[in-house]
Amino acid sequence: MSKPKKDRVSTSRSDPVPVVIIGNGPSGICLSYLLSGHMPYVKPDAAHPHPLLHRKLAEASGRCLLDQDLDYLSEGLEGRSQSPVALLFDALLRPDTDFGGTADSVLSWKRQKERAVPHLVLGRGPPGGAWHAIEGSMVTLSQGEWMGLPDLQLKDWMRRKRRGLRNSRATAGDVAHYYRDYVTQKGLSHSFVPGALVTGVEMGTPQPKDAGPLFQVSGMLTTKDRGQRPFSLWARNVVLATGTFDNPARLGIPGEDLPYVHHELSVLEAATRAGTITPASDPVLIVGAGLSAADAVLYARHCGLPVIHAFRRPVDDPGLVFNQLPKMLYPEYHKVHQMMREQSVPSPSPYEGYRSLPQHRPLLFKEGQQAVLCDPHGHHQVLGVSLVLVLIGSHPDLSFLPGAGTSLATDPEQPLSTKRNPVEVDPFTYESTRQEGLYALGPLAGDNFVRFVQGGALAAASSLLRKETRKPP
């Protein structure tokens, strides 16, 4: 370990920090845990239900997982992720969860301080990342047990907090609290720097004495007295773990910047709390047919607000996300889908105050809180609204990278997209194929569920640990 520094976010080129992680959500937290000397081993008496994996694990009994061949171990695994290492780590943490089982993890954890890799985790807010920005009562899409991090199951944490799961799912507030507590309980706080906004990551000019690439990471740090000061540090490796909620997707139409048009559910929550929007107000226009839009519909209905729900797809489009969710696990989302179908034509129904407009496109937003929409036949419709929520997805904000990171994408000619065009990484190290020393985790690398982002952290930690082992004294 390098000696402690008085100023953690100011390092010189001659003494760079080995790893800087940008983003303090689940990906960054999991990687920090692994880099802090917490080493995973397969339990000596463990019997994994997957026969081939069980045989491979037995071949290297007693050897740390981070030192094994992840490519070999993950070969032949199948599941709900395209990442082989994500499937491997998930299979070790939750051996039979896809079959409804509750088998314990086959991993045990040993703290080996001498193998820790010094690192810093930079985040805009407290540990947990975007989970702190989600309305606390919202329930998670994934099952609660899949939201947990290594060696501290969410259900055990909630039991100690005397909290319970709802239909096997946790609330966003509980998950955010759990991630913050995890950092404290696992002794990781000294590596976390909250209030750090990264504004630039640049490659240093190579010099003969440099052992590999060097990055200069700069930005603004919010101090305890809420002031701001710039910071700059040098790092041998940079890990991008910023998630995908930074840049809400926009319609790109006139009037989208008017003060009554917004792109975050939190604005509606604040307006209802302040009493500026009430059940007597004009309708709230919600644009989008994904889960964020469904959450907004559920929240507005809970508050008794009138809603107009516009979306470009037909209600029976098989590509709608609701068709991919089991009804038993996600009854509230299927209720929204039912409302979308039944209220798509004017008729008496139990959903008073809700109106569905399938295959409608917003054309422009006008002064005086008027929205102009185009129906499937090309006719225009003007609606008076109190507020507009455009919830059609989001994009990662990599504006701190040269060219906003587009050169790192699988197709550099197209915009970076977590679903269609993620950062291209080596599947067994998560290091960028285009820039040595630069890693990407989570949605940036195409892993969109907490359950599977941890495999990327395992792959990156294995790679970074090997680099540190090879580093000359």
Side-chain angles (χ1 to χ4, degrees), residues 104-128:
D104 290 337
S105 169
V106 299
L107 295 179
S108 62
W109 296 86
K110 299 179 182 179
R111 182 74 193 280
Q112 297 174 331
K113 293 182 179 180
E114 71 281 2
R115 300 198 68 188
V117 178
H119 63 280
L120 291 176
V121 185
L122 310 180
R124 297 183 184 184

Short mmCIF file of all heavy atoms in Angstrom, two decimals, residues 104-128:
data_model
loop_
_atom_site.label_atom_id
_atom_site.label_comp_id
_atom_site.label_asym_id
_atom_site.label_seq_id
_atom_site.Cartn_x
_atom_site.Cartn_y
_atom_site.Cartn_z
N ASP A 104 -26.99 -21.29 -0.87
CA ASP A 104 -26.00 -20.30 -0.44
C ASP A 104 -24.88 -20.18 -1.46
O ASP A 104 -24.60 -21.10 -2.25
CB ASP A 104 -25.41 -20.69 0.91
CG ASP A 104 -26.42 -20.56 2.03
OD1 ASP A 104 -27.38 -19.78 1.88
OD2 ASP A 104 -26.25 -21.25 3.06
N SER A 105 -24.21 -19.07 -1.41
CA SER A 105 -23.03 -18.85 -2.26
C SER A 105 -21.98 -19.92 -1.97
O SER A 105 -21.82 -20.37 -0.84
CB SER A 105 -22.45 -17.47 -1.98
OG SER A 105 -21.18 -17.32 -2.58
N VAL A 106 -21.26 -20.32 -3.01
CA VAL A 106 -20.18 -21.29 -2.83
C VAL A 106 -18.86 -20.58 -2.52
O VAL A 106 -17.82 -21.24 -2.40
CB VAL A 106 -20.00 -22.19 -4.07
CG1 VAL A 106 -21.28 -22.98 -4.33
CG2 VAL A 106 -19.60 -21.38 -5.30
N LEU A 107 -18.91 -19.26 -2.37
CA LEU A 107 -17.69 -18.49 -2.12
C LEU A 107 -17.54 -18.14 -0.65
O LEU A 107 -18.51 -17.90 0.06
CB LEU A 107 -17.71 -17.19 -2.94
CG LEU A 107 -17.67 -17.31 -4.46
CD1 LEU A 107 -17.72 -15.93 -5.10
CD2 LEU A 107 -16.43 -18.06 -4.92
N SER A 108 -16.30 -18.14 -0.21
CA SER A 108 -15.95 -17.55 1.09
C SER A 108 -14.98 -16.41 0.81
O SER A 108 -14.35 -16.37 -0.25
CB SER A 108 -15.31 -18.59 2.01
OG SER A 108 -14.09 -19.08 1.44
N TRP A 109 -14.87 -15.49 1.76
CA TRP A 109 -14.06 -14.29 1.53
C TRP A 109 -12.97 -14.18 2.59
O TRP A 109 -13.23 -14.37 3.78
CB TRP A 109 -14.95 -13.04 1.55
CG TRP A 109 -15.93 -13.05 0.43
CD1 TRP A 109 -17.17 -13.64 0.41
CD2 TRP A 109 -15.74 -12.49 -0.87
NE1 TRP A 109 -17.76 -13.46 -0.82
CE2 TRP A 109 -16.91 -12.76 -1.63
CE3 TRP A 109 -14.70 -11.77 -1.46
CZ2 TRP A 109 -17.06 -12.34 -2.95
CZ3 TRP A 109 -14.84 -11.35 -2.78
CH2 TRP A 109 -16.00 -11.64 -3.50
N LYS A 110 -11.76 -13.92 2.14
CA LYS A 110 -10.62 -13.76 3.05
C LYS A 110 -10.02 -12.37 2.83
O LYS A 110 -9.79 -11.96 1.70
CB LYS A 110 -9.56 -14.83 2.79
CG LYS A 110 -10.05 -16.26 3.00
CD LYS A 110 -8.95 -17.26 2.70
CE LYS A 110 -9.44 -18.70 2.87
NZ LYS A 110 -8.37 -19.69 2.56
N ARG A 111 -9.74 -11.69 3.91
CA ARG A 111 -9.11 -10.37 3.82
C ARG A 111 -7.60 -10.55 3.78
O ARG A 111 -6.99 -11.09 4.71
CB ARG A 111 -9.49 -9.50 5.01
CG ARG A 111 -8.91 -8.09 4.94
CD ARG A 111 -9.62 -7.24 3.92
NE ARG A 111 -8.92 -6.02 3.60
CZ ARG A 111 -8.93 -4.90 4.34
NH1 ARG A 111 -9.61 -4.88 5.48
NH2 ARG A 111 -8.28 -3.83 3.94
N GLN A 112 -6.99 -10.14 2.68
CA GLN A 112 -5.54 -10.23 2.52
C GLN A 112 -5.02 -8.83 2.19
O GLN A 112 -4.93 -8.43 1.03
CB GLN A 112 -5.20 -11.23 1.40
CG GLN A 112 -5.66 -12.66 1.72
CD GLN A 112 -5.47 -13.63 0.58
OE1 GLN A 112 -5.50 -13.26 -0.59
NE2 GLN A 112 -5.29 -14.92 0.91
N LYS A 113 -4.70 -8.09 3.24
CA LYS A 113 -4.34 -6.68 3.08
C LYS A 113 -3.14 -6.49 2.17
O LYS A 113 -3.03 -5.48 1.47
CB LYS A 113 -4.06 -6.06 4.45
CG LYS A 113 -5.28 -5.97 5.35
CD LYS A 113 -4.93 -5.30 6.67
CE LYS A 113 -6.15 -5.19 7.58
NZ LYS A 113 -5.82 -4.53 8.86
N GLU A 114 -2.25 -7.46 2.18
CA GLU A 114 -1.03 -7.31 1.37
C GLU A 114 -1.32 -7.34 -0.13
O GLU A 114 -0.50 -6.92 -0.95
CB GLU A 114 -0.02 -8.41 1.73
CG GLU A 114 -0.40 -9.83 1.27
CD GLU A 114 -1.41 -10.51 2.16
OE1 GLU A 114 -1.87 -9.88 3.14
OE2 GLU A 114 -1.74 -11.68 1.88
N ARG A 115 -2.51 -7.79 -0.52
CA ARG A 115 -2.87 -7.85 -1.94
C ARG A 115 -3.77 -6.67 -2.36
O ARG A 115 -4.19 -6.59 -3.51
CB ARG A 115 -3.59 -9.16 -2.25
CG ARG A 115 -2.76 -10.40 -1.96
CD ARG A 115 -3.31 -11.62 -2.66
NE ARG A 115 -3.15 -11.53 -4.10
CZ ARG A 115 -3.67 -12.38 -4.97
NH1 ARG A 115 -4.42 -13.38 -4.54
NH2 ARG A 115 -3.48 -12.23 -6.26
N ALA A 116 -4.05 -5.78 -1.43
CA ALA A 116 -4.91 -4.64 -1.75
C ALA A 116 -4.22 -3.72 -2.78
O ALA A 116 -3.00 -3.55 -2.76
CB ALA A 116 -5.24 -3.85 -0.49
N VAL A 117 -5.02 -3.18 -3.67
CA VAL A 117 -4.54 -2.23 -4.68
C VAL A 117 -5.05 -0.84 -4.32
O VAL A 117 -6.27 -0.62 -4.29
CB VAL A 117 -5.04 -2.63 -6.09
CG1 VAL A 117 -4.55 -1.61 -7.12
CG2 VAL A 117 -4.58 -4.03 -6.45
N PRO A 118 -4.17 0.12 -4.03
CA PRO A 118 -4.63 1.47 -3.69
C PRO A 118 -5.50 2.05 -4.81
O PRO A 118 -5.17 1.93 -5.99
CB PRO A 118 -3.33 2.25 -3.52
CG PRO A 118 -2.30 1.22 -3.19
CD PRO A 118 -2.70 0.00 -3.95
N HIS A 119 -6.59 2.68 -4.42
CA HIS A 119 -7.51 3.23 -5.42
C HIS A 119 -8.36 4.32 -4.80
O HIS A 119 -8.46 4.43 -3.57
CB HIS A 119 -8.42 2.12 -5.96
CG HIS A 119 -9.30 1.49 -4.92
ND1 HIS A 119 -8.83 0.54 -4.04
CD2 HIS A 119 -10.61 1.70 -4.60
CE1 HIS A 119 -9.82 0.19 -3.22
NE2 HIS A 119 -10.90 0.87 -3.53
N LEU A 120 -8.99 5.10 -5.65
CA LEU A 120 -9.95 6.11 -5.23
C LEU A 120 -11.23 5.93 -6.02
O LEU A 120 -11.19 5.61 -7.21
CB LEU A 120 -9.42 7.53 -5.45
CG LEU A 120 -8.25 7.99 -4.57
CD1 LEU A 120 -7.79 9.37 -5.00
CD2 LEU A 120 -8.67 8.00 -3.10
N VAL A 121 -12.37 6.13 -5.35
CA VAL A 121 -13.67 6.06 -6.00
C VAL A 121 -14.30 7.45 -5.96
O VAL A 121 -14.60 7.97 -4.88
CB VAL A 121 -14.59 5.04 -5.30
CG1 VAL A 121 -15.90 4.89 -6.08
CG2 VAL A 121 -13.90 3.69 -5.14
N LEU A 122 -14.45 8.06 -7.12
CA LEU A 122 -14.98 9.42 -7.21
C LEU A 122 -16.47 9.37 -7.55
O LEU A 122 -16.87 8.75 -8.53
CB LEU A 122 -14.23 10.22 -8.29
CG LEU A 122 -12.70 10.20 -8.22
CD1 LEU A 122 -12.11 11.04 -9.34
CD2 LEU A 122 -12.22 10.72 -6.87
N GLY A 123 -17.28 10.03 -6.76
CA GLY A 123 -18.72 10.07 -7.01
C GLY A 123 -19.30 11.44 -6.73
O GLY A 123 -18.82 12.16 -5.87
N ARG A 124 -20.34 11.79 -7.46
CA ARG A 124 -20.96 13.11 -7.26
C ARG A 124 -21.66 13.21 -5.91
O ARG A 124 -21.71 14.27 -5.29
CB ARG A 124 -21.98 13.38 -8.37
CG ARG A 124 -21.38 13.45 -9.76
CD ARG A 124 -22.45 13.80 -10.77
NE ARG A 124 -21.93 13.78 -12.13
CZ ARG A 124 -22.63 14.13 -13.20
NH1 ARG A 124 -23.89 14.49 -13.06
NH2 ARG A 124 -22.09 14.09 -14.40
N GLY A 125 -22.27 12.10 -5.47
CA GLY A 125 -23.01 12.09 -4.22
C GLY A 125 -22.52 10.99 -3.32
O GLY A 125 -21.39 10.49 -3.47
N PRO A 126 -23.34 10.54 -2.36
CA PRO A 126 -22.92 9.47 -1.46
C PRO A 126 -22.83 8.14 -2.18
O PRO A 126 -23.39 7.97 -3.27
CB PRO A 126 -24.04 9.45 -0.40
CG PRO A 126 -25.23 10.05 -1.09
CD PRO A 126 -24.69 11.06 -2.05
N PRO A 127 -22.12 7.16 -1.60
CA PRO A 127 -22.03 5.84 -2.23
C PRO A 127 -23.42 5.26 -2.50
O PRO A 127 -24.31 5.32 -1.67
CB PRO A 127 -21.27 5.02 -1.18
CG PRO A 127 -20.45 6.02 -0.43
CD PRO A 127 -21.29 7.25 -0.38
N GLY A 128 -23.55 4.71 -3.70
CA GLY A 128 -24.86 4.22 -4.14
C GLY A 128 -25.25 4.84 -5.46
O GLY A 128 -26.16 4.35 -6.14
#
